[in-house]
Amino acid sequence: MPDVHYGNEQHFVDSDTETGISKWTLTGTNPDGTRKEVRGCDFYTFRDGKHVRARPAGRS
């Protein structure tokens, strides 16, 4: 996708549990000319204020 774009980002962090979530929307044009829009989120784990793990979650 030559025109891929990530937008509509939302980021949430819970410092008590050292976890975070990022929500986003990917848009772009496939090689055949059709438009693509994918919504997704990723879960993050932090330890001592540093990112230690990322887990991709749902995509729709």
Side-chain angles (χ1 to χ4, degrees):
M1 275 190 239
D3 61 345
V4 68
H5 174 75
Y6 283 89
N8 299 326
E9 304 94 356
Q10 292 182 301
H11 309 288
F12 307 92
V13 174
D14 183 338
S15 58
D16 292 336
T17 62
E18 295 188 306
T19 57
I21 298 173
S22 288
K23 294 169 47 178
W24 46 265
T25 303
L26 174 144
T27 57
T29 306
N30 289 316
D32 66 3
T34 59
R35 292 287 297 160
K36 182 85 168 180
E37 181 174 308
V38 178
R39 293 182 300 168
C41 64
D42 299 302
F43 295 97
Y44 296 92
T45 303
F46 302 93
R47 188 169 300 122
D48 299 322
K50 297 184 182 195
H51 169 250
V52 294
R53 183 175 177 203
R55 295 181 313 269
R59 310 280 193 266
S60 61

